[in-house]
Amino acid sequence: MKELTNRIKTNGRVLGEGVLKVDEFITHQVDPELMEQTGKRFAEVFKDQGITKVVTIESSGIAPAVYAAQALGVPMIFARKSKSLTMDEELLTASVYSFTKQVSSTISISRKFLSAQDRVLLIDDFLANGQAAKGLIELCQQAGAEVAGIGILIEKSFQDGRKLLEDMAVPVVSLARIASLHEGKVSFLEEDA
Ligand code: G4P
Ligand code: NA
Ligand code: NA
């Protein structure tokens, strides 16, 4: 998606260790217009898939996910990383290992929000090693829901996430695909949409 790759070129910053900082428009300060454009693009791509819910994980997946859900006319659910005080219902839970932080954490969604009747579109801001997406897929599987596809804003194609998800037979659509982050420079692959 040209608007997103252009914005990464203008406002993204390469940190060491293969990390792209996008806090000007996604992960801290949020550009609602750009997020709405990405949500609409995901909705366009998945409009014929019978999507009934959009699912993401807090916090940076929420903005694009809510716009995708609005464009598809369905609810958005975000998995929580810590247990909410008022979460007294039965939970779907999965363990997510972060290679970056080298710790596992538990993510959860209330069981009442996902069922075997649902066809889910997963959305996230980054695809790196794919562990967060894998955890979201596990939550959907526990509910008997079908994952119809995954929409990603920024895929770091030099990491293993995309292969992991494709091996699980889930279609992945990334709006920006990064081949490398060498020497402070962002190199792109052809994007999916
Ligand atoms: P994985 O899910 O693909 O395995 O990712 P990993 O554990 O490596 O990533 C942990 C966190 O870092 C995730 O956010 C992920 O979105 C984010 N991340 C991964 N690569 C980059 C990057 O190059 N740049 C930026 N800015 N973030 C990256 P989180 O901390 O779990 O969530 P959030 O609350 O920030 O959304
Ligand atoms: Na995220
Ligand atoms: Na993030």
Side-chain angles (χ1 to χ4, degrees), residues 7 25 29-39 63-64 67:
R7 190 58 180 273
F25 55 108
Q29 175 169 264
V30 176
D31 180 338
E33 248 162 63
L34 180 64
M35 293 302 102
E36 183 175 25
Q37 288 173 325
T38 66
Y67 284 116

Side-chain angles (χ1 to χ4, degrees), residues 13-79:
R13 206 153 56 78
V14 179
L15 303 185
E17 311 280 326
V19 174
L20 178 69
K21 200 167 166 72
V22 289
D23 65 347
E24 296 280 339
F25 55 108
I26 300 176
T27 58
H28 197 6
Q29 175 169 264
V30 176
D31 180 338
E33 248 162 63
L34 180 64
M35 293 302 102
E36 183 175 25
Q37 288 173 325
T38 66
K40 283 182 170 165
R41 179 59 55 87
F42 289 133
E44 217 171 273
V45 170
F46 291 102
K47 67 177 184 303
D48 299 324
Q49 294 299 314
I51 303 297
T52 61
K53 303 274 167 66
V54 172
V55 171
T56 188
I57 181 164
E58 63 178 347
S59 54
S60 302
I62 293 176
V66 79
Y67 284 116
Q70 181 180 47
L72 288 164
V74 301
M76 184 281 281
I77 306 159
F78 62 93

Side-chain angles (χ1 to χ4, degrees), residues 17-23 27 57-61 81 96-101 124-134 154 156 158-159 161 181:
E17 311 280 326
V19 174
L20 178 69
K21 200 167 166 72
V22 289
D23 65 347
T27 58
I57 181 164
E58 63 178 347
S59 54
S60 302
K81 289 176 177 165
V96 172
Y97 179 72
S98 169
F99 289 99
T100 319
K101 296 169 188 159
D124 209 353
D125 57 340
F126 272 95
L127 176 58
N129 296 298
Q131 296 302 306
K134 180 165 164 270
I154 303 175
K156 296 198 290 183
F158 55 90
Q159 293 186 248
L181 294 170

Side-chain angles (χ1 to χ4, degrees), residues 99-111:
F99 289 99
T100 319
K101 296 169 188 159
Q102 301 206 345
V103 288
S104 288
S105 59
T106 302
I107 63 168
S108 61
I109 290 177
S110 284
R111 189 171 283 277

